[in-house]
Amino acid sequence: KNEVEQSPQNLTAQEGEFITINCSYSVGISALHWLQQHPGGGIVSLFMLSSGKKKHGRLIATINIQEKHSSLHITASHPRDSAVYICAVKSQDSNYQLIWGAGTKLIIKP
Amino acid sequence: NAGVTQTPKFQVLKTGQSMTLQCAQDMNHEYMSWYRQDPGMGLRLIHYSVGAGITDQGEVPNGYNVSRSTTEDFPLRLLSAAPSQTSVYFCASSFSGGPYEQYFGPGTRLTVT
C-alpha cells in the first residue's frame, strides 16, 4: 500500500463545478504539499500546510492531522484549471525527502 | 531571479551513451534533488543534496551519478544510458531544515533508443 494515496485518479467535470481532490497518508508528517502540473509543463507548488486551511484565489486546501487526510477544493472551476494535481507529504522521520502521491488528472470541460 | 533552470529540454540518446543533465538555481537553496516521472507513477527521487559537497541516494539511484561542487549547481549524470531511463526528469530545490516550499525546474524529456 502506498503511503500517500490520492483520489480520484481521474476527474472530468463541467466548467463552474465545485471540485474536490483527496489525499490520505499513513505516516506522521510535518507538512503536506499540493502541487499542480499542466500538460507538458513544469510543476508548481500551490500550498504547503501543516494544519487547518489555506486559501488562494479559487483554491482551498484543508488538512485534518488526526484523520491523516487533506483535500484540495477548486471553486467555480474553469478549463484552465485542467491539470494534474499532486499531493506530497514531508515525513516526520525525514528532514528532506517528500513522499509523493500518484496525482489526480483533472479535466474541466467548457 | 531565474528560479530553477534545467538544460536540455529534450534529449535523445542511444543505449550506452552517457550525458549530463544540468540544473541550476539562484535562490541560495541548500536542498536540491532530482526526480524522474514516468506515466502513471508519482515522482521518484533519484538523488538529493543538502549542501555543497553533500549528496545522498534517493529511491531509484542506480545508473545515475550526482555531484554538488557549488550551492547553485546540481548536475545529474547518466553513466551508460538504458531504455529504462526514458523518462521526464525534474530538478527541484528548497531551503532545508524544515518544511519549505519546493521549486521545480521545467523538466528534461529524455528518450533512450
Side-chain angles (χ1 to χ4, degrees), chain B residues 39 42 68:
Chain B
R68 183 101 178 263

Side-chain angles (χ1 to χ4, degrees), chain A residues 9 30-31 33 35 37 40-46 48 84 86 90 95-98 100-103, chain B residues 31 35 37 40-43 45 48 50 57-59 90 96-102 104-106 109:
Chain A
Q9 269 189 299
S30 56
H33 299 253
L35 306 102
Q37 184 175 25
I43 299 170
V44 175
S45 179
L46 297 175
M48 185 180 67
V84 176
I86 306 170
K90 186 167 176 299
N95 279 335
Y96 309 105
Q97 295 189 37
L98 296 175
W100 296 84
Chain B
Y31 180 73
Y35 293 94
Q37 185 179 42
M41 302 184 72
L43 289 164
L45 182 67
Y48 66 96
V50 301
Q57 296 181 350
E59 184 185 351
F90 288 98
S96 66
Y100 293 106
E101 182 178 351
Q102 297 264 316
F104 283 81
R109 187 173 293 272

Side-chain angles (χ1 to χ4, degrees), chain A residues 16 21 31 40 46 48 53 58 66 73-74 77 79 84 88 93 98 104:
Chain A
I21 298 170
L46 297 175
M48 185 180 67
K53 176 178 171 178
R58 294 180 294 104
Q66 286 74 30
H73 305 286
I74 305 174
S77 60
V84 176
D93 297 331
L98 296 175
T104 294

Side-chain angles (χ1 to χ4, degrees), chain B residues 37-107:
Chain B
Q37 185 179 42
D38 300 298
M41 302 184 72
L43 289 164
R44 291 187 292 169
L45 182 67
I46 305 171
H47 284 285
Y48 66 96
S49 167
V50 301
I54 307 169
T55 63
D56 207 346
Q57 296 181 350
E59 184 185 351
V60 288
N62 291 342
Y64 307 95
N65 265 1
V66 292
S67 60
R68 183 101 178 263
S69 55
T70 66
T71 300
E72 294 78 20
D73 299 297
F74 190 44
L76 177 73
R77 278 181 290 279
L78 279 70
L79 308 171
S80 176
S84 60
Q85 294 179 303
T86 294
S87 188
V88 180
Y89 291 85
F90 288 98
C91 178
S93 74
S94 71
F95 291 112
S96 66
Y100 293 106
E101 182 178 351
Q102 297 264 316
Y103 293 82
F104 283 81

Side-chain angles (χ1 to χ4, degrees), chain A residues 56-108:
Chain A
H56 182 74
R58 294 180 294 104
L59 299 177
I60 304 165
T62 64
I63 188 168
N64 185 318
I65 296 293
Q66 286 74 30
E67 294 187 5
K68 295 188 170 163
H69 181 268
S70 174
S71 293
L72 177 68
H73 305 286
I74 305 174
T75 61
S77 60
H78 190 277
R80 65 174 174 267
D81 297 325
S82 298
V84 176
Y85 292 85
I86 306 170
C87 169
V89 302
K90 186 167 176 299
S91 166
Q92 286 175 335
D93 297 331
S94 169
N95 279 335
Y96 309 105
Q97 295 189 37
L98 296 175
I99 307 171
W100 296 84
T104 294
K105 185 175 182 180
L106 174 65
I107 297 172
I108 303 295

Side-chain angles (χ1 to χ4, degrees), chain B residues 9-26:
Chain B
K9 284 200 164 181
F10 301 94
Q11 183 70 49
V12 179
L13 289 178
K14 293 190 187 317
T15 297
Q17 287 184 317
S18 63
M19 79 159 295
T20 299
L21 307 184
Q22 301 291 345
C23 174
Q25 52 89 13
D26 61 359

